[in-house]
Amino acid sequence: MKKIQADYSFTNARNAEQMQLHTNMIEEALTETFAEAQGLGEVWAAYEAAVQAEQDCFLSNRKFEDTPILQAGDAKRDNGFYLVANVADAYAKFALDEAEKAAGERVAFLIQPARDAAHKGYAEETSILTDLYGKLQDPANATDVETLHLTEAVAAAKAANDAFNALYVERSKELRTRAESLTMKQLRPLTDAAFRDLAEAVNALYRINALVTKDAEKEAALGNAIDLANGLLVQLDRVIRARGGNGSSTTDPTEPTDPTEPTDPENPGGDGGGTPEEI
């Protein structure tokens, strides 16, 4: 009698492989439409929620720590700082006008403690530049900055530093939330268990219909879902074996016992040792 291999062991699947299997399962085999039609809506919803939680965790693991947006923001504020510093240095060294040369020297002196700011950590650089721009925009130094035609450049550099800090603060919040959330190692067993609950429910409906109800339409719908689900399990088994891992089953799960009726993988719920491989 047909059945989904609910006891399939996902132990040897990598995080991405295991997550993709469950994603494909709810999108292609044990779909929401199928589950609702069979009266398994609540069981399916629990499975889908577990898959979604795992997807969110997996994707958050992939996008941190340094995102392209954060890196771009840091590069922009570095450029703003270099522009102001280099112009001040140029006036201090090469200005022909004595007033401009003196203003350049004074501004360069203010910038001196921040020279290596761009080589500091994100938070330290933010602090250094915030202090610098506060000094450059202070009324006591505003005339010198204006003499060097840097008023707008300083304002733009400060805005770039402030924008980066806003991104950094948001990133810190996300990291804190991530640290407080469940990890892939914790989520994987929950998703696998939710899959087994749904698979066993489908198997029970198929068995009851085959022995008692004998509804041909129901048998076709359940049988199709079982075949699709087992097909995905076979595919995962092949992926694991292709990279040299031990599949869930001890024999080739692709051989049908009856050519006229697709069957499920043979004993793909074997005891696979080890722990899930990390990405």
Side-chain angles (χ1 to χ4, degrees):
M1 186 176 295
K2 282 188 178 183
K3 68 174 183 177
I4 299 173
Q5 290 300 311
D7 57 351
Y8 187 98
S9 174
F10 299 98
T11 301
N12 293 315
R14 292 173 174 168
N15 285 344
E17 294 166 349
Q18 185 258 9
M19 185 195 71
Q20 192 59 53
L21 177 281
H22 288 302
T23 299
N24 292 342
M25 195 68 74
I26 62 175
E27 292 180 354
E28 301 175 17
L30 307 179
T31 66
E32 181 177 16
T33 300
F34 162 77
E36 290 291 348
Q38 302 303 323
L40 300 175
E42 291 186 8
V43 183
W44 183 91
Y47 180 33
E48 191 274 339
V51 174
Q52 185 62 57
E54 193 172 309
Q55 289 175 340
D56 292 343
C57 179
F58 181 80
L59 293 175
S60 69
N61 286 344
R62 302 289 289 190
K63 70 182 181 181
F64 287 95
E65 286 194 340
D66 291 332
T67 66
I69 293 177
L70 200 64
Q71 292 173 338
D74 184 47
K76 183 176 181 178
R77 70 168 176 174
D78 288 349
N79 289 339
F81 167 72
Y82 289 137
L83 173 62
V84 172
N86 289 338
V87 170
D89 287 344
Y91 272 99
K93 294 177 180 179
F94 308 115
L96 300 179
D97 182 85
E98 289 301 320
E100 291 181 343
K101 183 177 179 63
E105 290 174 347
R106 287 190 291 270
V107 172
F109 179 78
L110 290 174
I111 293 174
Q112 185 57 40
R115 290 290 177 181
D116 62 347
H119 301 290
K120 300 293 185 180
Y122 286 153
E124 186 176 1
E125 181 180 357
T126 298
S127 178
I128 292 172
L129 294 183
T130 298
D131 178 70
L132 172 63
Y133 298 140
K135 291 177 180 177
L136 294 179
Q137 291 185 325
D138 187 285
N141 303 309
T143 301
D144 284 342
V145 172
E146 179 62 32
T147 298
L148 304 183
H149 311 287
L150 283 175
T151 301
E152 292 184 3
V154 169
K158 180 181 183 300
N161 189 52
D162 291 343
F164 174 84
N165 190 49
L167 282 173
Y168 184 81
V169 170
E170 183 60 30
R171 171 182 176 271
S172 297
K173 291 179 181 178
E174 292 178 9
L175 285 173
R176 185 169 61 252
T177 300
R178 177 183 168 211
E180 294 171 352
S181 65
L182 295 177
T183 64
M184 286 293 288
K185 186 176 181 180
Q186 294 169 307
L187 289 170
R188 283 186 54 160
L190 300 179
T191 306
D192 295 345
F195 160 73
R196 293 187 179 98
D197 288 343
L198 180 57
E200 288 171 356
V202 171
N203 290 344
L205 287 180
Y206 186 87
R207 185 167 57 253
I208 291 172
N209 185 73
L211 298 176
V212 181
T213 313
K214 302 185 185 301
D215 184 318
E217 184 176 344
K218 194 175 190 66
E219 180 182 2
L222 290 168
N224 181 62
I226 290 172
D227 288 341
L228 290 173
N230 283 334
L232 291 174
L233 295 176
V234 168
Q235 186 178 41
L236 175 61
D237 213 62
R238 287 177 173 173
V239 169
I240 295 173
R241 291 174 184 276
R243 60 172 167 75
N246 293 321
S248 176
S249 57
T250 56
T251 58
D252 185 355
T254 65
E255 291 296 328
T257 56
D258 182 354
T260 63
E261 179 178 346
T263 59
D264 42 73
E266 294 179 14
N267 186 31
D271 298 326
T275 58
E277 296 183 40
E278 297 301 325
I279 293 301

